[in-house]
Amino acid sequence: QVQLVESGGGLVQAGGSLRLSCAASGRTVSSYVMGWFRQAPGKEREFVAGISRSGGSTRTADSVKGRFTISRDNAKNTVYLQMNSLKREDTAVYYCAARISITVVSTLMYDYWGQGTQVTVSS
């Protein structure tokens, strides 16, 4: 089992950047496909980006493609989400998730979830 803790959220102006981190404990993160999701008020949780166990393959939602980048450092047991050119519509709680699989998927079929970190983008 793995425990996930997100950090790095906060308030940022539109056009700004943030980097989210997801620290894993309990089991090495290299055993899992990792993903970032977000949930805005009144909306369903949605996929943002995913990364394979080695980091060699990534998948990004169309809504953030070209602006957000997922990466991982297995030696540090940490996954990152670099968010650039932020927009107001990026405001949400961002969740890190781990999947016992070799396949990156954009559904909610992940096995472990963090508690989330709030990202608020102001105009």
Side-chain angles (χ1 to χ4, degrees):
Q1 190 167 349
V2 64
Q3 291 78 43
L4 305 172
V5 178
E6 303 93 337
S7 62
L11 176 64
V12 63
Q13 286 191 328
S17 298
L18 280 176
R19 188 176 81 156
L20 305 184
S21 298
C22 173
S25 62
R27 191 170 177 180
T28 177
V29 73
S30 61
S31 301
Y32 302 94
V33 163
M34 300 297 294
W36 284 99
F37 292 76
R38 67 185 182 186
Q39 188 166 19
K43 294 188 177 182
E44 295 185 349
R45 191 170 298 189
E46 64 175 1
F47 173 80
V48 174
I51 189 166
S52 63
R53 293 186 298 182
S54 68
S57 176
T58 62
R59 188 170 177 176
T60 307
D62 289 343
S63 59
V64 304
K65 197 163 292 184
R67 300 188 297 121
F68 290 12
T69 303
I70 187 171
S71 62
R72 66 192 299 160
D73 186 338
N74 288 339
K76 294 184 178 180
N77 242 19
T78 303
V79 180
Y80 305 98
L81 184 68
Q82 179 66 44
M83 305 187 295
N84 298 329
S85 302
L86 282 160
K87 305 176 181 179
R88 286 194 64 185
E89 52 263 44
D90 296 319
T91 295
V93 177
Y94 283 72
Y95 297 91
C96 175
R99 173 176 163 86
I100 304 171
S101 175
I102 60 172
T103 307
V104 177
V105 298
S106 60
T107 67
L108 297 177
M109 294 180 65
Y110 283 69
D111 301 284
Y112 303 102
W113 294 81
Q115 82 290 349
T117 186
Q118 176 71 48
V119 171
T120 302
V121 184
S122 64
S123 58

